[in-house]
Amino acid sequence: MSAAPPALAQGADHFGTLFEFLPVGAYRTTAEGRQLRANPALARMNGFADEAELLASVCDIGHNWYVQPGRRDEFKALMAESGRVTAFESEVFRYKTRERIWISENAHAVRDAQGRLLYYEGTVEDITDRVHDREALRRNEQQLRQIIDLVPGVSYRVVTSPEGVSTVDFISPNVQDMLGLKAEELLADSRAVHRLRHPDDRDHVAARIREAFEEQRPLDVEYRIVRRDGREVWIQQTNRLAPPENGCEVRIGLLLDITARKRAEAELRANSELWKRALESSGDGVWDWHIQDGVEQLSPPCKALYGFDPEELPDTPGALDERTHPDDLPAMHQARDDHFAGRTPRYVNEHRVRCKDGQWKWILSRGIVIARDAAGLPLRMIGTHTDVTTRRQAEDLRIARDRAEAADLAKSQFLSRVSHELRTPLNAIMGFSQLLELESNLPPRQRGWVQQVLGAGRHLLGLMDDILDLSSAQTGELPVVIQTVELAPLLAEVGDLLSTAADSACLTLRPQPLAAAAPAGLLLRADRKRLKQVLLNLVANGIKYHHLGGDPDAGGWVRVTVAAEAGDWLIHVTDNGPGLTETQCARLFRPFERLGAQSGPVLGTGLGLALSRQLTEAMGGQISVSSRLGEGSTFSVRLRGG
């Protein structure tokens, strides 16, 4: 505010009427700093209720008001020099509260007719908010300057008028390090950068800039410049739209030196070519995907992997994606997206691809992004395709085998538990039936019933024993004690136990006695109890099933022979019964497999041969069958000699 008019010096009345209602403070002080007059606004500014309270409290402005020592002396010096002070800014204390505020003073000296100094008159304005805002602005500008200086590139601002004339009105000073031009040159001539661009890039860059301006979208373009010193530099130029000013388009942008990156990409391309040739020599198919360009080059071996000639598949990402099995697409896309986003170090996925002949082939696809843009988006990815069909088929077979083995084990465990649970009530049935059989006065008809119950019970007990033995053998829990066993006495026991059954079936056991089949003193490595169990089963089967093949009176026989072979001994059990087909032989050793005999008159469980195989293998031997339909069968047990 300008100094108070000289008319104010003519009297106190004029002072009061002019300044009573001023919104800013007004005062009159002596040169020594004693307060003479103050308007209400000045009193309120200093925390007082009225002028009287202020005048009573202020005696020395120089020491009581100004925060900065000597500030009153500066004020007086300016007053002595020109007779007035304008916009004199100072930090002062509110007299009453001692709070710091900022003020701006306008004052002049009042003199009498002889030129003697009478007092100073002036106005005081509280500019605390203005000073704080100005300081905040200064700090913000300083911080912005620091940020611009630390940005790894050149910041700039370009303003384009409605007529299409572009002007650079700001560019950071480090532009000289990048382009070899001073900031002042670019501010004076906005086309200076255009003239530095490589001749091969000028038209392309100009078109991109024009498109960004016309379509009101961000600019992102790469090009070369040739500095005045002849050095070639790769530049990435970006800018974004800012709020318009006075009808002009405003863009804020950045120039980055990407020369090192371009050199690295060139080296990478050269290395990737070597890498692709090396991989192709290993038999893998190689693919090279330029993501933003929508081009995916497949090497000839890669196309051949699916039965295509080099010219048959287009070089596009969809060429193989469209042939990928629909069930495998979600996982493949997820694995790819995870690598693009940086969540995985590489892309790895197995999926099926339909070949030219319509067959599905399992492929291991692996890849890695080798180039990204400034925002981290993938630009280029290279990788391989490997045929893993054989491995996947083997895995499927292994899984199927494991499931079958698990099911078989579960079945055996179930049968074992059921056998244990059935044995208790069955023993009770057998016990009471035997008591009834001992009754001397039991009528013949009832005695026949009791004998049928006992026969059925013994059959069930045998079945339970076979089930338990088979289950134990399959789980590896069947006790087998390998020792030296003399074969001839064991065959004699088998013959004694089965001779009655053979006679009942009108069959001959050969030789007679059965022990004669084994050379004298022949020793085998086996568990005597289990070997006897196996031979009893084989000979008993020959007796039981012989009559199914024809006339039981036609001279049936079951013969046991023993022969040495390759250090082992073979025990052959041969019959001249009905024989078996090749298909029946393949099913013979399965548990509960009776080859249709379950509907016939011969009792059986279908466990005997399955158990015999388990027992023979547990003793370190083997069991096999050879048979022809209508010509009888031969079961052979191979064991080591003792």
Side-chain angles (χ1 to χ4, degrees):
M1 180 177 287
S2 61
L8 189 62
Q10 296 178 4
D13 292 338
H14 290 163
F15 183 89
T17 57
L18 288 174
F19 294 100
E20 181 70 24
F21 298 105
L22 274 177
V24 297
Y27 65 84
R28 179 183 294 166
T29 67
T30 64
E32 293 76 20
R34 183 167 60 84
Q35 195 84 38
L36 299 176
R37 293 296 307 275
N39 73 340
L42 185 62
R44 291 192 299 271
M45 185 184 301
N46 286 279
F48 295 111
D50 51 35
E51 179 187 24
E53 186 180 2
L54 185 148
L55 295 179
S57 301
V58 180
C59 299
D60 186 351
I61 292 176
H63 291 88
N64 295 338
W65 201 29
Y66 294 103
V67 173
Q68 181 183 352
R71 189 63 173 162
R72 179 65 177 181
D73 294 335
E74 295 177 22
F75 179 92
K76 291 171 64 177
L78 290 173
M79 193 67 77
E81 180 180 345
S82 60
R84 66 178 57 232
V85 172
T86 304
F88 188 73
E89 295 184 2
S90 307
E91 188 177 17
V92 301
F93 294 107
R94 295 189 195 273
Y95 280 118
K96 190 168 185 178
T97 64
R98 308 309 290 169
E99 175 191 353
R100 292 186 177 195
I101 62 173
W102 281 88
I103 63 163
S104 176
E105 291 183 76
N106 294 294
H108 67 276
V110 178
R111 300 179 182 276
D112 61 12
Q114 288 74 34
R116 290 174 296 189
L117 179 64
L118 297 177
Y119 41 79
Y120 299 148
E121 286 182 345
T123 60
V124 178
E125 181 181 3
D126 185 344
I127 61 169
T128 303
D129 291 341
R130 187 193 314 165
V131 171
H132 288 170
D133 291 344
R134 189 170 62 206
E135 180 61 23
L137 180 61
R138 185 193 64 78
R139 286 196 304 270
N140 289 340
E141 290 177 347
Q142 183 180 22
Q143 292 171 356
L144 180 60
R145 176 62 60 186
Q146 291 173 346
I147 292 172
I148 291 174
D149 291 343
L150 292 174
V151 168
V154 175
S155 304
Y156 68 92
R157 186 179 117 125
V158 60
V159 178
T160 304
S161 69
E163 295 75 26
V165 178
S166 297
T167 304
V168 177
D169 66 356
F170 170 80
I171 193 161
S172 52
N174 56 351
V175 67
Q176 186 168 1
D177 297 333
M178 181 183 295
L179 305 183
L181 294 178
K182 293 181 179 180
E184 294 79 7
E185 295 181 72
L186 289 170
L187 293 174
D189 182 6
S190 59
R191 292 188 59 80
V193 174
H194 174 77
R195 288 192 292 272
L196 288 180
R197 291 186 185 118
H198 194 286
D200 294 343
D201 297 344
R202 286 176 186 167
D203 292 343
H204 165 68
V205 175
R208 293 287 297 274
I209 292 175
R210 184 170 57 255
E211 290 170 3
F213 178 79
E214 292 173 353
E215 298 173 11
Q216 292 291 285
R217 59 176 175 78
L219 172 69
D220 191 340
V221 64
E222 296 178 359
Y223 55 85
R224 293 161 292 174
I225 67 160
V226 181
R227 291 167 44 111
R228 290 171 179 170
D229 58 11
R231 184 159 62 92
E232 188 174 282
V233 178
W234 271 96
I235 298 295
Q236 181 182 20
Q237 180 176 350
T238 61
N239 63 47
R240 300 291 185 271
L241 287 165
E245 296 179 3
N246 302 320
C248 297
E249 181 186 271
V250 179
R251 287 177 177 261
I252 307 298
L254 190 65
L255 301 176
L256 292 174
D257 184 344
I258 59 171
T259 306
R261 193 192 83 194
K262 286 292 185 179
R263 288 173 181 168
E265 288 177 358
E267 293 176 1
L268 186 59
R269 280 193 297 271
N271 290 336
S272 66
E273 291 301 322
L274 293 175
W275 176 82
K276 286 195 291 184
R277 286 195 290 271
L279 284 179
E280 288 172 358
S281 67
S282 69
D284 286 344
V286 178
W287 47 270
D288 187 348
W289 185 11
H290 297 263
I291 299 168
Q292 293 190 351
D293 297 333
V295 175
E296 184 174 11
Q297 297 172 338
L298 304 176
S299 68
C302 188
K303 295 182 180 181
L305 196 63
Y306 307 105
F308 292 97
D309 293 331
E311 67 278 1
E312 286 188 289
L313 278 179
D315 290 329
T316 61
L320 291 182
D321 283 4
E322 292 171 0
R323 307 188 71 84
T324 300
H325 197 289
D327 294 346
D328 300 339
L329 280 172
M332 183 186 75
H333 289 155
Q334 185 62 53
R336 186 185 293 170
D337 292 342
D338 286 344
H339 180 53
F340 282 174
R343 292 187 290 269
T344 57
R346 62 189 59 83
Y347 159 71
V348 180
N349 179 253
E350 290 187 8
H351 53 266
R352 288 162 289 180
V353 177
R354 190 178 69 255
C355 299
K356 183 179 179 180
D357 61 5
Q359 298 295 317
W360 291 101
K361 182 172 286 188
W362 274 102
I363 295 299
L364 170 60
S365 181
R366 291 171 289 190
I368 188 169
V369 172
I370 62 171
R372 294 180 181 269
D373 64 13
L377 297 177
L379 296 174
R380 187 182 179 196
M381 185 179 183
I382 56 178
T384 62
H385 279 179
T386 305
D387 185 353
V388 294
T389 304
T390 302
R391 175 174 63 77
R392 290 296 295 241
Q393 290 174 344
E395 288 178 359
D396 292 342
L397 291 174
R398 178 185 57 79
I399 292 172
R401 182 202 65 199
D402 292 345
R403 288 176 178 171
E405 290 179 352
D408 194 48
L409 178 60
K411 179 186 69 177
S412 299
Q413 292 173 340
F414 169 75
L415 292 175
S416 175
R417 293 189 180 96
V418 169
S419 298
H420 281 293
E421 293 298 326
L422 290 177
R423 186 177 293 275
T424 299
L426 188 57
N427 284 333
I429 293 172
M430 292 291 294
F432 284 110
S433 297
Q434 289 169 349
L435 290 175
L436 288 173
E437 189 181 32
L438 294 176
E439 289 289 334
S440 59
N441 58 350
L442 192 67
R445 188 178 182 186
Q446 281 85 349
R447 186 174 297 278
W449 293 344
V450 171
Q451 289 173 348
Q452 287 184 2
V453 171
L454 284 171
R458 293 187 185 99
H459 176 72
L460 285 176
L461 281 176
L463 174 62
M464 296 300 102
D465 290 338
D466 286 347
I467 288 176
L468 290 174
D469 283 346
L470 180 63
S471 176
S472 298
Q474 290 180 336
T475 57
E477 299 175 356
L478 182 68
V480 174
V481 180
I482 305 299
Q483 57 188 354
T484 301
V485 177
E486 187 173 357
L487 182 58
L490 190 146
L491 288 175
E493 294 178 20
V494 172
D496 292 343
L497 290 172
L498 295 178
S499 60
T500 302
D503 292 341
S504 298
C506 299
L507 291 176
T508 302
L509 292 181
R510 300 177 180 175
Q512 287 291 339
L514 209 58
L522 173 60
L523 301 178
L524 300 177
R525 296 292 297 170
D527 182 311
R528 193 178 194 283
K529 175 184 176 182
R530 300 306 179 184
L531 178 56
K532 180 179 176 181
Q533 189 175 350
V534 170
L535 295 178
L536 280 171
N537 183 270
L538 296 179
V539 175
N541 277 354
I543 296 171
K544 283 194 301 183
Y545 295 104
H546 184 279
H547 74 278
L548 296 178
D551 185 359
D553 300 323
W557 49 263
V558 176
R559 181 174 60 237
V560 178
T561 58
V562 179
E565 184 180 289
D568 294 333
W569 287 93
L570 290 174
I571 306 171
H572 301 293
V573 178
T574 306
D575 64 66
N576 65 341
L580 301 167
T581 66
E582 184 177 345
T583 301
Q584 288 176 318
C585 289
R587 295 160 45 197
L588 196 58
F589 293 98
R590 297 177 184 175
F592 303 103
E593 179 62 73
R594 297 195 63 203
L595 305 179
Q598 62 271 16
S599 58
V602 180
L603 294 177
T605 63
L607 293 176
L609 289 177
L611 179 58
S612 295
R613 168 170 280 182
Q614 294 286 344
L615 293 175
T616 302
E617 292 177 352
M619 292 185 290
Q622 295 176 338
I623 188 170
S624 60
V625 62
S626 62
S627 182
R628 299 181 69 176
L629 195 63
E631 298 181 8
S633 305
T634 297
F635 290 85
S636 302
V637 177
R638 178 186 293 269
L639 291 170
R640 293 192 304 275

